[in-house]
Amino acid sequence: MKAFILALQFLTRFYIPIQVDFSDKNLRHSLFFFPWVGLLLGYLLTIPLKVIPNQDISGLVILVLWISFTGGMHLDG
C-alpha cells in the first residue's frame, strides 16, 4: 500500500496525509503502480465527457483538471 501511495504522491498533486519515506527501495516498488495511477487519472478525466454535453466545454474542463491533477506533467510534448 505504501508503494501505491508513493506513486500517487509522485505523479499527482493529490493530498494524501500519509507519510511515506522517499527512498530508492520504496520508489522501486512504486514503479509497478505507475500505470495504475495513469489509469486512475484517465478514468477521472473522462467523467466530464459523461456529465457535460458540450464537447468543447468538456474538453476545456478536462484540460484544466489534468493540469490541476498533475501540475502539467507531460503537457509540454
Side-chain angles (χ1 to χ4, degrees):
M1 193 59 158
K2 287 183 179 180
F4 180 70
I5 291 170
L6 185 63
L8 272 175
Q9 289 176 342
F10 186 74
L11 294 173
T12 66
R13 300 179 92 184
F14 295 148
Y15 175 72
I16 301 170
I18 298 172
Q19 193 75 318
V20 179
D21 294 332
F22 191 78
S23 64
D24 289 338
K25 179 184 173 190
N26 288 340
L27 188 60
R28 200 174 325 118
H29 286 98
S30 72
L31 288 176
F32 173 77
F33 293 104
F34 278 24
W36 295 104
V37 171
L39 184 70
L40 175 67
L41 284 172
Y43 177 74
L44 290 175
L45 291 173
T46 59
I47 292 173
L49 287 173
K50 308 292 183 194
V51 176
I52 302 171
N54 189 342
Q55 287 185 349
D56 294 334
I57 294 173
S58 65
L60 179 64
V61 170
I62 289 170
L63 183 63
V64 169
L65 286 175
W66 188 6
I67 292 170
S68 65
F69 287 170
T70 65
M73 186 183 298
H74 300 300
L75 285 178
D76 60 346

